Amino acid sequence: MKPAAFEYRRATAVEDAVDQLTELGDEAKLLAGGQSLVPMMNFRLVRPSALVDVAGIPDLQYLEPHDGRGLKIGALTPHRWVEEMEDPELLEGFSVLKRAARWVGHYPIRTLGTFGGSIAHGDPSAEWCLLAALLDAEVVAVGSGGERVIPASDFFHGFFMTALEPDEMIVEVRFPQPAPNAALQEFARRAGDYAIVAAAVTLDMEDGKCRSARVVLGGVADVPLRVPEAERVLEGADVGREAFEEAGREAAKVVDPPSDVQGTSEYRRDLSAVMVRRALEEAAGDVG
Amino acid sequence: MSAVGRRMGRLEDRRLLRGLGHFVDDVNRVGQLWMRVFRSPHAHARITSVQTDEALALPGVEAVLTGEDIAWARPIPVRTRTKHQLDNFLQPVLARDRVRYVGEPIAVVLAEDPYLAEDAVELIRVEYEELPVVLDARSAIEADDSRSLDGFESEAATLSMGYGDVEEAFRSAAHVVEIEVKIGRHSGVPLETRGLVADYDAGSDHLTIWGATKVPHFNRRVLSQMLGMPLNRISMKKSDAGGGFGVRGEFYPEDFLVPYLARETGRPVKWIEDRAENLVAANHSREQVHRISAAFDEEHRLLGLHDEVWQDNGAYIRTHGVIVPDLTLAMLPGPYRVPAYEGVAHVALTNKTPCGTYRGPGRYESTFAREHLLDVAAARLGIDRLELRRINLLETSELPHTRPLSTLGTDVVLDAGDYEGLLDKALDRSGFDGWEKEARELRAEGRLVGTGVGYFLEKSGTGPYEEAIVEVDPTGSVRVITGGASLGQGIETVLAQIAADQLSVPPEEIEVVHTETDLLPDGVGSWASRSTVVGGSAVMLAAKATAEKALRVATTMLEAATEDLRLESARVRVDGSPDKSVSLGEIAAACEPHSGLAEGEESGLGARRTFSVDHMTYPYGVHLAQVEVDPETGGVEIRRYFVAYEVGRAVNPTLVEGQLVGGAAQGLGGALLEEFRYDDSGQPLAATFIDYMEPTAAEVPRVETLICEDAPSPDNPLGLKGAGEGGTVGCGAAVVSAVEDALGMPGSIKALPVSPSKIRALLRESDRAGSTAAEAASFSS
Ligand SMILES: Cc1cc2nc3c(=O)[nH]c(=O)nc-3n(C[C@H](O)[C@H](O)[C@H](O)COP(=O)(O)OP(=O)(O)OC[C@H]3O[C@@H](n4cnc5c(N)ncnc54)[C@H](O)[C@@H]3O)c2cc1C
């Protein structure tokens, strides 16, 4: 469990990081918190020829209002900062991020791991990836060709595969729309483990009716999976257990999750139904 | 106040908590090379070629060794006495023409640093012809898969033991209950992985080794034979250890390779196992299937027990031989009155990591099988599960109770005990009635809460002997040298406490040394909850002999009669003459040759003693659990957990509690989380800590304990019974008992660990059955 040899570089600014990536070629990788990359290197599952350490780049750690009602998060913001978010203005629309943060690994991992790193890593059950997909986040990346903004719906391509080019660095993740009725629920056998199944939802409600909803599942496919079938069940339905259960059942019906040591496909389908219902309950305000 | 019985923190912690401990990875020798093992990626294959030139050509690589290079090396011998012929099944140091599990060592590299060594291993080219794999013990035996194992019989050994007329017991029974259960493959996974450093001095033909634990003296003997070196040319040095649990410290292939290569190359060699290796290379344990049945009379008294066990032993027989199935059978009847018993164990070889002992070997398994059987029987017979146990527990008047069984080379004689008394105390102290009442109330609200029990009989204090030296130097400093080993269990503290009382010296001032074969060339080691019981008794004898010598010598120094002398606060004093006394240090000085004060005595103040014991001693206890099952996720939360344990005498209650709580953490891991699973091709699926799920602090519940000292062992001077394993042994039983109670489905859980996925499957099935029943009911009405 010792990594293969690699060259180590440190970047002082985003442009510097991009220049170095360009110079070093496709086999080079950025190093942020190291909480996903380093274990994979130790197992020699990845063998970057060089690492460009971006952890020291200043001014990329922040949670700030974006364009009026939105939120923007600097790529190097540690998970822990999200967990400790206190600004009432931001919390009003984005408390779901704070509530979900506790599910991200363990305390030391949350202290070192970064928001941008999680998005770039693209694990289909990572909380930030699910919430990015749920809330139509925008990923701001800088590469040798300049800056571009990638909508989350185009960003996740498969297990650990994203729209990023090898010379691109994520600098920011933006959440344009507040989501006061959003929630993430998940189940794992141990605290800190990746979820076996996670469900992230938003509800738009009026007069006890659900105007529209979003349902995204993690742990059941190779990307954060939107489940329009479950969303349709909710549209126009009375807010309440009956509709939530129905949405859960619908989600369980359409997913085709893998079996592994954590549980069978059938088990994951059961969990999908439960997690969707629980998340909807939380989003509706039934559960704290 | 006597030191024995005192609660005190571990003396070891003075250095460990300040970062001053020395673990094997802290040992670095000038000019050392790092060893790295090339391991089989296949579960079963013929090796057709091994090419090492590319690896050797890598700058910084000193040597590459393959099985062919040491074709003369004997396979690794069995450590424990056995009457079974196991020679054909032993593991070679390096595989030559065939590999039998993923992780089996094929070659090793020596390089200047561990990174290079790992690079070099990737350059070794091995060609294989893959062979069919055997992954299930029972079907392997039933199908007689010996052909696919090629020369290996799938059943390496069959053990049977028993007594009484079992057939008659079952024939005449009013009730017979049979179940089949499986215990999952899991193991002790110490946070500190294995490791070894060896340094060879060619000038004096002497090997010095760091990193041996558990059985250093035994490993030294094996090494001496395998290397053809005299015993006293090999020195094992002590180090701290981050856990052992039965797994770490046994003689593995690396334990030969590291010293051998140090001697061959003339350079120190260091090897530190990494976690990925540890999970496939170090012993696994526990994997057994039991088909167990009980015969009861009208009054629910046990007439007989029968158990047939299939043990998946992995690819080879390792140092433990067949001790796990042996203990499984010998301990199966537990604390109950069982007039007739027959146990048969089939030890099967499969293409998985070989198995050995793990904390509570055989007892975790048999306790689960038997206690689960009793729960199921209670449900079927319509009798309270505690009542069923009470009816069948041996009574105090029936002890000592000799069972016509033997294990570990000794007869099973259950020594002192009050089994029902302990149960009463445990129920009372835990408030178990309240737990049950609460569970009933919560169930009435629709929640799945239940309580469970696991009564167990333990064994400890395995002989045949242990050695100890006590020395006092002329400054008065006391040193104890034991043949036991430290695995982090606190043995230094406990042995210091025992010596302290004899010498009237505070335990804090006594140094305890272990694993130093130059200081004490013989010892039996630390396993089977024996170090305090047997090792402690040896220390007591040696300390006592030292005190007696001090008094003898003091008679001359103080010109007083022995009757008038007493040892107090590290001084020998004369009764009635407060100003007449000598310190232990002064006596030690007097014991030096030419002092003229210790005529006829051997030089030095101290003694070496051996404590021998024929029989083991049998502690016992009960685990109680209250759990809640989440019907939607299948998750199990342990709401309450309680362990009561009879220990004879607790030398240090705090450390006994630590053993019980730590033991429970591991036992609960095996009950709910930990499992080494394999895919159909024999690839391990739990090869990291993501998939091999040890419980973390968040999953381990608060464990309440009750230490009982009601039945001191008659077999040793302090009345001690071992405490290392009782915290683990009852967990599988208690958890399953509670989960089934919560579900209201006795007998539904057939295997450990109880995963959420399995619980959901059960509930889904019962939902389906329930709805079919409801449909049927609505049709018929
Ligand atoms: C035991 C354990 C449990 C965990 N549990 C969870 C969990 O439950 N949920 C969860 O979401 N995560 C979990 N994680 C992962 C953790 O959240 C990581 O912090 C995160 O996935 C990666 O962030 P990082 O900053 O550490 O990135 P790194 O490990 O440094 O990098 C990860 C990848 O992203 C790339 N990268 C990093 N930053 C950027 C950037 N700004 N632009 C472009 N590419 C970049 C790197 O090149 C690399 O390929 C766990 C980790 C561990 C070790």
Side-chain angles (χ1 to χ4, degrees):
Chain A
M1 290 177 67
K2 304 277 186 237
F6 59 89
E7 188 184 338
Y8 175 85
R9 303 243 190 126
R10 214 171 251 168
T12 53
V14 173
E15 299 67 36
D16 181 28
V18 170
D19 287 349
Q20 298 205 41
L21 279 181
T22 315
E23 176 204 329
L24 292 163
D26 285 6
E27 300 300 309
K29 270 188 169 300
L30 296 182
L31 174 69
Q35 297 304 294
S36 295
L37 183 54
V38 173
M40 290 188 1
M41 287 172 64
N42 286 346
F43 279 110
R44 299 196 172 199
L45 294 172
V46 291
R47 301 160 182 258
S49 58
L51 291 184
V52 178
D53 188 345
V54 294
I57 297 180
D59 306 328
L60 283 181
Q61 299 190 326
Y62 55 83
L63 292 135
E64 282 169 11
H66 165 66
D67 206 9
R69 306 170 60 221
L71 165 72
K72 57 185 183 185
I73 302 180
L76 295 178
T77 308
H79 308 318
R80 182 76 184 149
W81 285 29
V82 184
E83 193 176 8
E84 293 189 319
M85 188 156 85
E86 260 164 22
D87 183 343
E89 230 177 284
L90 293 179
L91 277 180
E92 206 186 296
F94 298 99
S95 72
V96 62
L97 286 156
K98 182 184 170 87
R99 280 176 281 131
R102 71 190 162 101
W103 301 107
V104 182
H106 306 267
Y107 184 20
I109 290 160
R110 293 200 289 276
T111 317
L112 289 163
T114 67
F115 202 94
S118 176
I119 298 288
H121 185 55
D123 187 301
S125 47
E127 288 73 13
W128 301 152
C129 298
L130 292 174
L131 291 179
L134 180 79
L135 302 177
D136 285 332
E138 296 162 351
V139 180
V140 183
V142 175
S144 51
E147 183 181 296
R148 61 181 182 131
V149 177
I150 312 160
S153 53
D154 295 339
F155 188 80
F156 300 108
H157 288 183
F159 274 112
F160 310 135
M161 292 198 314
T162 68
L164 280 184
E165 296 296 332
D167 69 350
E168 277 182 317
M169 171 172 174
I170 298 177
V171 292
E172 187 175 274
V173 180
R174 295 178 186 153
F175 292 86
Q177 290 298 324
N181 292 104
L184 185 145
Q185 281 281 335
E186 66 177 63
F187 181 75
R189 290 169 73 183
R190 293 181 305 178
D193 284 356
Y194 273 107
I196 303 177
V197 169
V201 304
T202 56
L203 275 178
D204 184 3
M205 298 178 290
E206 196 177 51
D207 301 333
K209 288 238 184 272
C210 172
R211 272 208 305 231
S212 67
R214 264 277 171 101
V215 176
V216 175
L217 283 172
V220 299
D222 63 350
V223 290
L225 187 75
R226 233 188 111 174
V227 194
E229 293 84 348
E231 295 169 1
R232 275 198 294 275
V233 168
L234 293 161
E235 267 163 44
D238 289 338
V239 171
R241 181 147 183 140
E242 204 178 310
F244 296 165
E245 273 182 351
E246 176 64 26
R249 272 196 299 273
E250 196 58 35
K253 232 187 269 170
V254 300
V255 296
D256 183 17
S259 290
D260 64 16
V261 285
Q262 299 285 358
T264 58
S265 176
E266 198 169 13
Y267 176 60
R268 280 198 160 78
R269 228 176 279 132
D270 278 6
L271 272 187
S272 302
V274 175
M275 291 304 132
V276 165
R277 194 206 74 229
R278 287 186 183 176
L280 287 167
E281 282 169 353
E282 184 185 330
D286 294 356
V287 185
Chain B
M1 185 200 160
S2 94
V4 167
R6 204 171 109 198
R7 286 186 175 274
M8 54 187 283
R10 293 191 309 175
L11 301 176
E12 293 88 328
D13 290 341
R14 291 180 298 193
R15 64 170 186 278
L16 294 176
L17 297 184
R18 286 188 295 154
L20 299 175
H22 284 285
F23 295 83
V24 59
D25 199 15
D26 296 321
V27 177
N28 287 299
R29 308 294 295 173
V30 173
Q32 74 193 5
L33 292 165
W34 288 77
M35 185 179 92
R36 175 83 188 168
V37 183
F38 178 98
R39 297 180 185 279
S40 171
H42 297 295
H44 193 199
R46 210 185 309 281
I47 298 177
T48 53
S49 78
V50 181
Q51 264 154 46
T52 60
D53 16 325
E54 258 182 275
L56 260 174
L58 191 71
V61 172
E62 173 79 15
V64 180
L65 188 82
T66 67
E68 288 304 332
D69 298 328
I70 48 164
W72 49 266
R74 286 174 29 189
I76 295 164
V78 170
R79 173 164 69 78
T80 47
R81 277 175 283 176
T82 176
K83 58 177 194 284
H84 297 274
Q85 182 44 257
L86 301 169
D87 289 353
N88 287 340
F89 313 119
L90 303 180
Q91 177 160 8
V93 172
L94 292 173
R96 273 202 289 159
D97 34 44
R98 179 175 302 267
V99 282
R100 293 186 166 89
Y101 66 95
V102 173
E104 180 165 2
I106 295 176
V108 292
V109 166
L110 291 184
E112 297 293 341
D113 72 53
Y115 294 81
L116 269 176
E118 202 162 327
D119 292 346
V121 154
E122 292 187 327
L123 298 174
I124 295 177
R125 310 270 174 243
V126 181
E127 279 168 29
Y128 308 89
E129 221 171 80
E130 281 190 65
L131 295 167
V133 294
V134 175
L135 298 169
D136 179 66
R138 185 163 167 188
S139 55
I141 286 172
E142 280 165 3
D144 184 20
D145 253 344
S146 46
R147 271 160 304 129
S148 50
L149 286 163
D150 198 45
F152 265 45
E153 289 145 62
S154 27
E155 188 158 359
T158 312
L159 288 71
S160 67
M161 53 178 90
Y163 55 83
D165 190 340
V166 177
E167 257 177 56
E168 175 53 27
F170 278 82
R171 204 169 24 239
S172 62
H175 314 279
V176 170
V177 181
E178 179 177 290
I179 59 166
E180 196 173 302
V181 285
K182 181 174 178 194
I183 298 94
R185 174 176 273 255
H186 64 280
S187 194
V189 181
L191 276 190
E192 188 199 16
T193 54
R194 297 178 297 143
L196 220 58
V197 178
D199 199 342
Y200 178 69
D201 179 7
S204 56
D205 184 27
H206 198 104
L207 257 175
T208 307
I209 296 166
W210 293 262
T213 57
K214 184 177 178 179
V215 285
H217 294 91
F218 177 82
N219 287 0
R220 179 172 175 243
R221 279 195 287 275
V222 174
L223 201 53
S224 149
Q225 284 162 15
M226 290 180 79
L227 291 175
M229 272 178 86
L231 259 185
N232 52 19
R233 296 271 168 84
I234 303 173
S235 305
M236 299 291 197
K237 308 295 284 178
K238 70 167 177 182
S239 48
D240 285 306
F245 314 119
V247 174
R248 187 151 167 257
E250 288 294 329
F251 200 98
Y252 289 92
E254 297 86 353
D255 292 83
F256 169 81
L257 291 164
V258 173
Y260 169 70
L261 288 167
R263 192 179 67 173
E264 285 305 291
T265 58
R267 288 178 63 179
V269 173
K270 178 166 181 170
W271 169 69
I272 301 294
E273 182 182 52
D274 68 32
R275 182 62 61 195
E277 293 183 282
N278 177 260
L279 292 173
V280 296
N283 286 341
H284 290 179
S285 198
R286 304 270 202 253
E287 186 170 5
Q288 289 183 349
V289 172
H290 288 244
R291 190 166 64 206
I292 181 172
S293 49
F296 296 92
D297 70 9
E298 294 287 357
E299 266 82 57
H300 306 129
R301 285 181 301 228
L302 274 167
L303 297 173
L305 268 180
H306 184 274
D307 192 11
E308 187 166 8
V309 179
W310 289 267
Q311 150 126 354
D312 181 331
N313 204 72
Y316 294 102
I317 298 284
R318 279 187 172 168
T319 46
H320 295 111
V322 290
I323 218 170
V324 175
D326 189 72
L327 281 167
T328 305
L329 295 183
M331 297 297 291
L332 189 105
Y336 302 104
R337 192 181 309 101
V338 182
Y341 166 59
E342 185 183 10
V344 178
H346 310 278
V347 181
L349 296 179
T350 58
N351 293 114
K352 304 182 196 168
T353 297
C355 288
T357 61
Y358 165 37
R359 203 170 195 174
R363 282 95 76 200
Y364 186 88
E365 300 89 323
S366 60
T367 298
F368 169 56
R370 181 195 65 238
E371 292 297 294
H372 192 45
L373 177 70
L374 289 178
D375 274 358
V376 174
R380 296 227 184 116
L381 307 182
I383 169 175
D384 177 73
R385 57 194 174 170
L386 290 172
E387 185 55 28
L388 182 62
R389 287 171 171 91
R390 285 183 197 281
I391 292 171
N392 289 291
L393 282 173
L394 284 161
E395 282 171 26
T396 308
S397 59
E398 294 171 276
L399 300 179
H401 174 73
T402 305
R403 284 207 171 117
L405 300 171
S406 87
T407 185
L408 294 173
T410 82
D411 296 336
V412 177
V413 184
L414 309 187
D415 52 347
D418 179 0
Y419 300 157
E420 200 174 353
L422 178 129
L423 180 60
D424 288 333
K425 273 193 176 177
L427 296 174
D428 181 53
R429 192 65 76 84
S430 63
F432 192 71
D433 278 353
W435 295 16
E436 285 190 305
K437 182 162 169 280
E438 184 184 43
R440 273 194 305 274
E441 287 165 7
L442 292 170
R443 279 200 299 269
E445 290 171 19
R447 287 166 64 178
L448 302 184
V449 179
T451 55
V453 201
Y455 204 110
F456 67 96
L457 178 73
E458 250 294 87
K459 56 113 229 156
S460 70
T462 309
Y465 67 92
E466 193 51 272
E467 303 256 359
I469 294 173
V470 169
E471 300 169 341
V472 185
D473 78 6
T475 69
S477 167
V478 180
R479 177 158 89 165
V480 172
I481 307 165
T482 173
S486 174
L487 297 149
Q489 76 275 50
I491 185 169
E492 293 173 36
T493 309
V494 167
L495 296 185
Q497 284 178 270
I498 291 173
D501 280 350
Q502 301 302 318
L503 295 168
S504 179
V505 171
E508 291 84 352
E509 290 173 20
I510 298 178
E511 185 194 5
V512 176
V513 178
H514 60 88
T515 320
E516 287 283 349
T517 57
D518 288 351
L519 297 178
L520 178 59
D522 194 17
V524 182
S526 287
W527 44 285
S529 295
R530 66 183 304 284
S531 325
T532 303
V533 179
V534 189
S537 298
V539 167
M540 183 181 154
L541 297 183
K544 196 165 168 206
T546 303
E548 284 163 4
K549 179 169 182 179
L551 289 169
R552 263 196 327 269
V553 173
T555 52
T556 322
M557 297 173 74
L558 295 167
E559 295 172 333
T562 324
E563 315 76 87
D564 296 333
L565 296 183
R566 98 198 110 75
L567 182 54
E568 196 184 283
S569 304
R571 299 187 79 81
V572 175
R573 298 171 195 274
V574 182
D575 272 336
S577 315
D579 46 338
K580 272 183 87 178
S581 72
V582 281
S583 71
L584 283 177
E586 286 160 348
I587 300 173
C591 287
E592 287 177 348
H594 311 300
S595 76
L597 292 167
E599 291 298 323
E601 298 279 356
E602 283 189 26
S603 75
L605 178 56
R608 173 172 170 176
R609 286 293 180 272
T610 305
F611 178 75
S612 300
V613 64
D614 290 338
H615 294 296
M616 297 193 282
T617 166
Y618 294 85
Y620 50 91
V622 66
H623 285 220
L624 303 171
Q626 190 198 50
V627 307
E628 175 157 16
V629 176
D630 179 338
E632 294 190 323
T633 61
V636 174
E637 183 206 352
I638 298 175
R639 292 164 49 96
R640 302 169 193 280
Y641 207 85
F642 188 92
V643 181
Y645 191 61
E646 167 60 48
V647 70
R649 183 152 182 209
V651 177
N652 183 334
T654 305
L655 293 196
V656 174
E657 285 162 9
Q659 287 293 315
L660 294 177
V661 173
Q666 290 189 302
L668 293 171
L672 291 170
L673 291 163
E674 297 174 43
E675 187 173 22
F676 289 113
R677 288 175 56 183
Y678 288 82
D679 74 8
D680 293 343
S681 65
Q683 288 297 325
L685 295 174
T688 71
F689 271 167
I690 292 181
D691 295 315
Y692 188 77
M693 292 188 284
E694 302 241 44
T696 72
E699 285 72 48
V700 178
R702 187 184 165 79
V703 176
E704 304 283 350
T705 56
L706 171 66
I707 299 173
C708 300
E709 301 180 273
D710 297 329
S713 171
D715 289 332
N716 61 71
L718 288 168
L720 308 172
K721 295 178 172 181
E725 301 164 276
T728 306
V729 165
C731 290
V735 166
V736 167
S737 176
V739 169
E740 290 192 346
D741 187 44
L743 297 174
M745 297 163 82
S748 58
I749 291 174
K750 312 265 190 257
L752 295 178
V754 186
S755 70
S757 185
K758 279 191 234 162
I759 289 187
R760 274 301 309 154
L762 269 178
L763 289 170
R764 235 179 352 243
E765 223 171 89
S766 89
D767 274 358
R768 268 182 219 133
S771 54
T772 341
E775 275 165 36
S778 68
F779 276 127
S780 61
S781 60

